[in-house]
Amino acid sequence: MKYLFLAIAAALVGLSFVAAAMQPENTAKVPVIWWVTDANPARFEQIKLFGEWLAKNHYPPMEVRLDTSNGDEMKKIIQGVSGVAGDTMDVYDLQLFQAIGLMRNVDEDAKRLNYGLDRTYPALESLLMRPDKNGVMHQYLFPCNVFAPMYIVNREAFRRFGQPLPPARWTLEEFERLGKAYVKAANPPGSRRLFFFADGVELDSIRRSLGSSYFNETMTASALDETANIKTLKLFKKWTYEDHLIPSDVDRAQFSTASGYGGANPQLFNSDNYAMLNTGRHLLIVLRQFNEKRAERGEPLLDLGVSEPAHGGFPNTTTQTRALGVYAGGGHQDLAVYFQAFLASKEYNEQIVKDADSLPPNPAYTETEEYKHPADHPEEWDVHEPFAEAAKTLAVGRE
């Protein structure tokens, strides 16, 4: 019997060596960098462009492979503290990750490979950098793309109900006045309410426009009990349940629209149920799909415009980013920083511009004709510049 157990043990040991030899990083001819990200099909094109960029610049050869099964924030943290996280990962909350030291300090790498904060939007500083114990700021991330919400406007919906188009910039009072007139014209008395002024509002930008935020000026106490925050929540309640400018959860539940990229809201925008979408430039990805189907049916394309979030005295919007960090416990940190540097390159930014996947991380590429006036989408020509301008002049990073 003992010989049987010995034989089984020897077989298992042998199979473990075979399994290890078959691991992707052991079969590759160059070092493998794992990228923990989402399953967006654009990732394959971005990896291909990265390989071409490496060769063009005579940088060390490497191969980036996707890990789309561990993108959950808690998974990344647990794997990170266990020493087995991916070499690079998408990060949405640097403070959470850096509080336990998971990200590599890339100050020197960014300087050497030219992807410092001067290559992206100034408003992102608080999202890409963190202070050390002496209060000195250090860079840990670089953006994959940048999000600055605005209202995408369905101009045809306003014409359908005989209402004036919203202005590019407006106050809270103007938003309410125009919104009440719109929903009154769109929903006849006695009928089920099907048409709304907007899908939602940006509460952070409203409270900020009124002079408040989550914390006080010294970041030492909550400011949520301030008058401006209370006014913000009262407005949200009024616009939802009294004026019906935006839908309540009950209102949303009455729609049976199928959900796709971006959820059900783009579908409802396409069918005029929402006159405006509070969103980023990335929603053009699905709106382009709607326009393809409209063209096939011989219908007019969506007529799009952009308006800023309504303000109470200080026009603003809130900026966010899906940014890339290098895992401080990874075995290929010196190579992974090249993938981070790639995000500031011409090749990567032009791909983001082309796909409309939010804003390119390097604002220089929002000044190009390809960004402002994409040749294949003239119906969007009034949309792109306002988003870029908002990220440069209106956007404020979260605390």
Side-chain angles (χ1 to χ4, degrees):
M1 180 64 71
K2 68 178 181 180
Y3 295 110
L4 176 61
F5 282 121
L6 287 172
I8 292 172
L12 291 173
V13 170
L15 288 172
S16 67
F17 281 109
V18 171
M22 294 174 64
Q23 289 298 307
E25 53 265 45
N26 293 326
T27 60
K29 297 179 180 179
V30 296
V32 173
I33 305 299
W34 286 99
W35 179 17
V36 184
T37 185
D38 56 32
N40 190 321
R43 305 291 171 258
F44 296 102
E45 173 67 13
Q46 290 161 2
I47 288 173
K48 173 178 173 290
L49 290 171
F50 175 60
E52 295 171 356
W53 178 79
L54 286 175
K56 174 184 173 182
N57 291 282
H58 307 290
Y59 289 142
M62 68 195 80
E63 181 181 346
V64 171
R65 295 186 181 178
L66 297 176
D67 178 356
T68 59
S69 60
N70 291 301
D72 178 78
E73 204 165 57
M74 288 301 105
K75 281 187 177 181
K76 287 184 279 193
I77 290 173
I78 291 170
Q79 291 175 353
V81 298
S82 302
V84 294
D87 299 286
T88 66
M89 60 184 77
D90 291 352
V91 174
Y92 295 89
D93 186 350
L94 175 59
Q95 180 172 329
L96 180 63
F97 281 77
Q98 201 46 36
I100 47 179
L102 292 186
M103 297 291 101
R104 174 185 171 103
N105 178 330
V106 295
D107 288 347
E108 294 304 317
D109 305 299
K111 188 182 301 182
R112 174 171 58 91
L113 296 172
N114 196 23
Y115 67 99
L117 271 293
D118 60 327
R119 301 270 281 176
T120 191
Y121 306 85
L124 294 177
E125 179 178 341
S126 64
L127 306 179
L128 306 177
M129 305 183 76
R130 296 301 302 162
D132 61 20
K133 61 182 179 181
N134 298 315
V136 179
M137 297 293 285
H138 299 286
Q139 181 179 349
Y140 294 93
L141 308 178
F142 195 81
C144 298
N145 55 8
V146 178
F147 178 75
M150 302 271 276
Y151 281 114
I152 295 183
V153 177
N154 183 346
R155 291 166 171 167
E156 176 54 37
F158 283 86
R159 288 194 292 267
R160 174 180 175 179
F161 298 115
Q163 296 300 300
L165 293 175
R169 175 169 294 175
W170 46 356
T171 64
L172 298 174
E173 292 75 17
E174 289 172 316
F175 181 89
E176 180 174 311
R177 177 175 56 81
L178 293 173
K180 288 168 73 172
Y182 182 92
V183 295
K184 181 179 180 181
N187 299 281
S191 65
R192 190 174 68 157
R193 190 178 300 107
L194 294 174
F195 302 99
F196 297 88
F197 194 48
D199 67 320
V201 295
E202 187 71 19
L203 294 180
D204 283 353
S205 67
I206 293 176
R207 63 165 60 94
R208 191 182 296 117
S209 79
L210 293 169
S212 188
S213 191
Y214 288 101
F215 302 100
N216 63 7
E217 290 185 2
T218 58
M219 300 289 285
T220 55
S222 171
L224 292 176
D225 59 350
E226 291 183 355
T227 302
N229 273 313
I230 295 171
K231 180 178 179 179
T232 298
L233 295 178
K234 285 184 175 179
L235 272 178
F236 177 70
K237 179 182 178 183
K238 182 176 187 292
W239 291 347
T240 305
Y241 298 103
E242 297 177 28
D243 300 332
H244 304 289
L245 309 188
I246 57 179
S248 66
D249 287 343
V250 173
D251 293 324
R252 296 178 196 276
Q254 73 176 323
F255 294 114
S256 58
T257 304
S259 181
Y261 177 75
N265 286 1
Q267 310 275 350
L268 296 168
F269 178 81
N270 184 47
S271 58
D272 292 350
N273 296 100
Y274 297 154
M276 301 187 299
L277 283 182
N278 177 38
T279 186
R281 179 176 175 265
H282 65 283
L283 248 291
L284 290 174
I285 294 173
V286 68
L287 298 184
R288 286 176 178 180
Q289 296 172 359
F290 294 153
N291 275 338
E292 287 178 6
K293 294 178 181 178
R294 284 170 170 250
E296 290 172 0
R297 296 192 298 263
E299 298 174 358
L301 303 185
L302 287 165
D303 184 8
L304 304 174
V306 174
S307 291
E308 296 174 6
H311 70 87
F314 170 55
N316 75 95
T317 186
T318 300
T319 189
Q320 302 174 56
T321 177
R322 177 177 62 86
L324 189 76
V326 174
Y327 175 43
H332 296 300
Q333 294 179 54
D334 291 342
L335 295 177
V337 295
Y338 285 94
F339 190 50
Q340 210 175 31
F342 168 64
L343 303 179
S345 71
K346 177 177 183 289
E347 291 82 353
Y348 179 82
N349 280 267
E350 287 184 345
Q351 196 263 344
I352 296 293
V353 166
K354 178 183 176 183
D355 283 2
D357 188 11
S358 285
L359 292 166
N362 189 335
Y365 294 93
T366 65
E367 301 294 336
T368 65
E369 190 65 14
E370 291 80 4
Y371 174 84
K372 296 177 180 179
H373 303 114
D376 295 335
H377 302 284
E379 72 281 0
E380 299 174 359
W381 286 4
D382 291 338
V383 173
H384 300 279
E385 287 187 80
F387 275 106
E389 189 64 20
K392 298 171 187 174
T393 63
L394 296 180
V396 179
R398 295 185 186 278
E399 301 97 318

